[in-house]
Amino acid sequence: MGVMTEGKITDINELKRIAKNVRINILHMLTLAGSGHTGGSLSAADVAVAIYFSRMKFNPGDPSWEERDRFVLSKGHAAPLIYAIMAEAGYFREDTIETLRKTGSPLQGHPCSALLPGIEISTGSLGQGLSVANGMALGLRLDGNPARVYCIMGDGEVQEGQVWEAAMTAAHYKIDNICAVVDNNGLQIDGPVEKVMGIEPLHDKWAAFGWHVMDIDGHNMQEILDALGEAETVKGRPSIIIANTTKGKGVSFFENKVEYHGVAPTREEFDRAVKEIHND
Amino acid sequence: MTELQNTRQEAQNPVQAHSGHITEKKPKATRDAYGETLLELGKRRPDIVALDADLSGSTKTAKFAREFPDRFFNMGVAEQDMIGTAAGLALTGKVPFASTFAVFETGRAWDQIRLAVCYSNTNVKLVATHGGITVGEDGASHQALEDIALMRALPNMMVIVPADASETASAISAVADHKGPVYVRLGRAKVPYVMPDDYTFTPGKAFVFHIGKDVTIIAAGIMVDIAQKAAEILAGEGIDAGVVNMSTIKPLDEETLLRVAETSGLIVTAEEHSVIGGLGGSVCEFLSENHPVTVRRIGVRDTFGCSGSPGDLLKRYGLTAGDIVETVKNSI
Ligand SMILES: Cc1ncc(C[n+]2csc(CCOP(=O)(O)OP(=O)(O)O)c2C)c(N)n1
Ligand SMILES: [Mg+2]
């Protein structure tokens, strides 16, 4: 907990500890809600934790602070992930996560910027976040504001045409204050991405669109930190991290299971999962 | 380019007796007024930015682009990305005006408008040109007849359809000051001036030319001029017909509507749009719940348009002063 405006965390073990906590909170809120997206929240957890706690400037006490870095969860169904991170960062009391998906809660099934300060833009209809991130990056640049913009997309999500429209835009306008991430977990709802609608060669596609592309193990904290650092040094073009991840990461019986895309843990699964995460 | 003015035989006197003074001016397209006003606003307001999707010459954002290249973003033929980018710009405090043809602006990017603009309540101004049947020769693919319905259904969205170039200029300035999503529908063809010189647009406020004892025509866009011509013809036949310019279709000016319904036994709505879900739909929805009176809707009757001159198309789809007159006489 704390105001994350300076003194970013670079200690790998501390980041891993936060990621464990975030995973447990994701599972906790999903279990209480009884519905929601487990697999994709867990797969992107390490990258999102690293972005928030090792790089981003923000102030939970003043969510619209002008100098903050911006984060867009384009894959909005991973809402539990961003809520767990926001709870960790101190945007709201940790027990707020128990209201996930309940009537009247600011923690909607998919992120809602009008209800939850700290969420920059509402998402949930896939494919839209990168465009919004570009717009923010352009606006910041016009103002001479050095803040940066982060955007996490799913690998199924990049099947949306709008993603490639936005990919062109970022390169055309030489937007270098953006760092996008593809959570490359290999699965979408109807099965493996390569079976449903192949996206490979993903690296080459982004490179051909004019992006600086970095392929990493999206669960290796050191690799994540290195890539995020590298992105800040790239000038004149946008950067993207292809984070190779495991859907359901951290809980053996959820890992690589297409069924756990949109299913919450049962109480019993939750207990077993927490034990696994603690013992890891 | 065919001018609407030339196609209306009934057009005798563009000046309405019961309105304030209107200086005689040559008809002008609302999109031209948009381009000029946006440029002027741009000079005064550094927070205004503009986006277009490869139609800046037609939507007239090109004027702004030439003067302020750093604040203009041509997004290429990519309307969905344009709307998302506009939302992002709005989130950094800019006031983005995003323009393309009405069909593409509202249809191609509806889900983006719904989520990134309306649900997120971002301060994005959607100003679309080429609304309605008077797009003309390009045909149905380019004639937006459903755009008002699409935009009106979205929470947080304001919907404005100016009647002439002067109201457009006034509305665009008001829109720049208004906080929140707005859809402004403009046209391709030139339209006569109908609003009095001293008129200024106020969001949500209809302009009453006259409330008729027998009938009042509630119109928007180019149909305001046509409704006035119809009212003159009706007056000649002893029928007291009023005209109201309902330029803000959402939020509807309910107070004025109630006033009209209390006086006029018959209301006719007139719009260059489908009779489903637009101005006529709004008026019927409100009056049926609050003050039921007979309403007849002039508009395109659940069909697509086709190629032709604007004047021919207005006739073909029943949008002339003669059509309004006939509808009134059949309903009184
Ligand atoms: C435009 C749109 N179409 C469909 C959906 C339904 N949907 C939710 S998640 C999802 C699959 C996404 O797969 P991926 O991007 O790989 O997400 P992840 O594996 O990270 O959960 C789909 C189709 C949606 N939310 N938005
Ligand atoms: Mg996936």
Side-chain angles (χ1 to χ4, degrees):
Chain A
M1 287 256 189
V3 179
M4 296 297 170
T5 52
E6 51 195 308
K8 305 307 300 176
I9 302 167
T10 47
D11 178 50
I12 301 268
N13 287 326
E14 176 60 5
L15 289 169
K16 283 184 176 166
R17 188 199 62 76
I18 296 173
K20 275 189 178 185
N21 215 15
V22 161
R23 282 199 165 84
I24 289 170
N25 273 338
I26 288 169
L27 296 166
H28 175 55
M29 71 180 102
L30 282 167
T31 305
L32 288 176
S35 70
H37 298 82
T38 303
S41 296
L42 295 172
S43 61
D46 297 308
V47 174
V49 162
I51 289 173
Y52 258 87
F53 297 101
S54 84
R55 305 242 54 122
M56 274 175 57
K57 297 188 283 342
F58 55 86
N59 182 355
D62 181 12
S64 46
W65 176 46
E66 274 190 21
E67 285 160 53
R68 74 192 183 282
D69 293 318
R70 275 74 169 169
F71 180 87
V72 175
L73 186 67
S74 191
K75 42 172 274 187
H77 57 278
L81 167 59
I82 185 71
Y83 299 152
I85 285 175
M86 289 173 82
E88 185 77 27
Y91 278 91
F92 43 74
R93 280 173 39 166
E94 199 168 274
D95 60 5
T96 308
I97 66 172
E98 293 167 9
T99 65
L100 172 70
R101 292 180 164 247
K102 304 253 160 59
T103 310
S105 171
L107 275 50
Q108 293 288 294
H110 293 79
C112 172
S113 57
L115 291 177
L116 189 60
I119 296 292
E120 302 287 347
I121 184 84
S122 303
T123 50
S125 175
L126 293 168
Q128 298 194 24
L130 191 57
S131 299
V132 178
N134 282 340
M136 291 198 285
L138 286 169
L140 293 168
R141 188 166 78 185
L142 277 175
D143 289 339
N145 185 330
R148 295 180 58 81
V149 185
Y150 294 90
C151 174
I152 299 189
M153 295 173 278
D155 50 354
E157 178 177 12
V158 304
Q159 291 156 352
E160 280 285 356
Q162 188 187 350
V163 170
W164 300 99
E165 295 180 1
M168 270 186 269
T169 295
H172 180 83
Y173 285 104
K174 301 183 167 48
I175 301 177
D176 56 14
N177 50 346
I178 199 168
C179 178
V181 177
V182 177
D183 180 21
N184 199 24
N185 62 26
L187 295 179
Q188 55 189 113
I189 294 184
D190 280 349
V193 171
E194 282 311 295
K195 259 183 113 171
V196 175
M197 177 54 68
I199 60 172
E200 289 297 339
L202 192 58
H203 177 110
D204 296 350
K205 280 183 177 135
W206 287 98
F209 273 73
W211 288 61
H212 175 71
V213 191
M214 294 163 279
D215 300 82
I216 64 161
D217 172 350
H219 302 304
N220 181 318
M221 216 33 107
Q222 190 60 56
E223 286 190 31
I224 299 171
L225 294 190
D226 290 346
L228 290 172
E230 183 176 325
E232 292 199 18
T233 67
V234 176
K235 297 294 165 217
R237 59 194 174 130
S239 291
I240 187 158
I241 297 170
I242 298 179
N244 296 303
T245 58
T246 302
K247 204 156 176 171
K249 177 69 182 181
V251 182
S252 62
F253 44 95
F254 293 155
E255 286 185 5
N256 283 318
K257 294 261 171 35
V258 79
E259 317 75 273
Y260 278 97
H261 168 84
V263 175
T266 62
R267 241 305 19 125
E268 181 269 332
E269 285 170 334
F270 172 73
D271 291 338
R272 271 201 290 149
V274 171
K275 267 196 208 106
E276 267 197 24
I277 292 170
H278 275 313
N279 293 336
D280 181 44
Chain B
M1 185 194 298
T2 320
E3 294 175 14
L4 289 182
Q5 181 83 341
N6 302 338
T7 64
R8 273 187 236 117
Q9 281 79 20
E10 312 94 324
Q12 290 144 352
N13 176 16
V15 181
Q16 261 285 330
H18 12 249
S19 69
H21 180 259
I22 306 180
T23 310
E24 282 274 4
K25 277 173 278 186
K26 276 211 280 236
K28 178 169 171 171
T30 50
R31 60 179 166 142
D32 283 312
Y34 168 50
E36 292 162 12
T37 311
L38 187 63
L39 175 62
E40 287 313 309
L41 282 170
K43 290 177 184 162
R44 279 192 284 118
R45 303 228 342 222
D47 57 338
I48 288 183
V49 298
L51 303 91
D52 208 297
D54 199 28
L55 286 168
S56 63
S58 299
T59 66
K60 306 298 173 187
T61 59
K63 277 198 158 71
F64 181 97
R66 272 193 295 275
E67 187 86 10
F68 305 109
D70 294 345
R71 286 194 271 147
F72 175 77
F73 302 99
N74 201 324
M75 305 306 293
V77 197
E79 296 76 14
Q80 302 178 346
D81 185 43
M82 174 173 77
I83 298 300
T85 307
L89 283 159
L91 287 169
T92 59
K94 303 282 170 273
V95 181
F97 280 73
S99 296
T100 178
F101 289 178
V103 170
F104 313 133
E105 179 115 28
T106 63
R108 175 62 71 100
W110 189 81
D111 186 41
Q112 286 72 16
I113 295 173
R114 179 175 184 272
L115 189 74
V117 178
C118 289
Y119 184 50
S120 300
N121 208 5
T122 47
N123 195 23
V124 175
K125 315 306 175 188
L126 308 166
V127 182
T129 65
H130 294 60
I133 200 86
T134 52
V135 162
E137 291 78 358
D138 272 350
S141 66
H142 284 54
Q143 294 160 344
L145 300 176
E146 318 81 5
D147 55 319
I148 298 172
L150 286 171
M151 294 298 99
R152 189 170 78 81
L154 293 169
N156 292 339
M157 184 66 96
M158 178 181 278
V159 179
I160 299 169
V161 186
D164 66 11
S166 72
E167 184 173 37
T168 301
S170 180
I172 293 297
S173 298
V175 159
D177 291 336
H178 172 83
K179 199 117 182 99
V182 183
Y183 175 62
V184 183
R185 184 215 225 200
L186 304 176
R188 166 178 177 260
K190 297 184 181 178
V191 286
Y193 283 84
V194 291
M195 301 307 286
D197 291 349
D198 58 359
Y199 166 81
T200 20
F201 172 87
T202 310
K205 206 94 209 84
F207 182 81
V208 178
F209 288 96
H210 170 61
I211 296 184
K213 280 199 273 302
D214 301 312
V215 60
T216 295
I217 308 158
I218 311 243
I222 63 160
M223 297 308 288
V224 174
D225 174 56
I226 295 172
Q228 288 188 331
K229 310 236 150 78
E232 280 169 36
I233 298 170
L234 288 164
E237 304 191 14
I239 296 171
D240 183 23
V243 176
V244 169
N245 174 10
M246 190 64 75
S247 47
T248 308
I249 294 183
K250 187 186 172 185
L252 208 56
D253 184 347
E254 299 179 346
E255 208 185 298
T256 297
L257 260 186
L258 280 176
R259 207 145 56 80
V260 169
E262 277 157 15
T263 308
S264 308
L266 172 68
I267 285 176
V268 174
T269 60
E271 64 195 308
E272 195 196 358
H273 183 269
S274 169
V275 290
I276 299 171
L279 173 63
S282 316
V283 168
C284 287
E285 286 162 18
F286 176 73
L287 289 178
S288 62
E289 283 186 347
N290 296 284
H291 198 294
V293 289
T294 303
V295 179
R296 294 279 179 264
R297 294 167 301 157
I298 296 284
V300 177
R301 303 208 76 89
D302 196 17
T303 180
F304 289 104
C306 66
S307 290
S309 73
D312 283 353
L313 295 180
L314 289 173
K315 282 197 203 105
R316 187 182 173 100
Y317 292 95
L319 302 174
T320 65
D323 294 303
I324 297 177
V325 168
E326 201 178 294
T327 299
V328 169
K329 293 211 285 207
N330 289 341
S331 314
I332 257 175

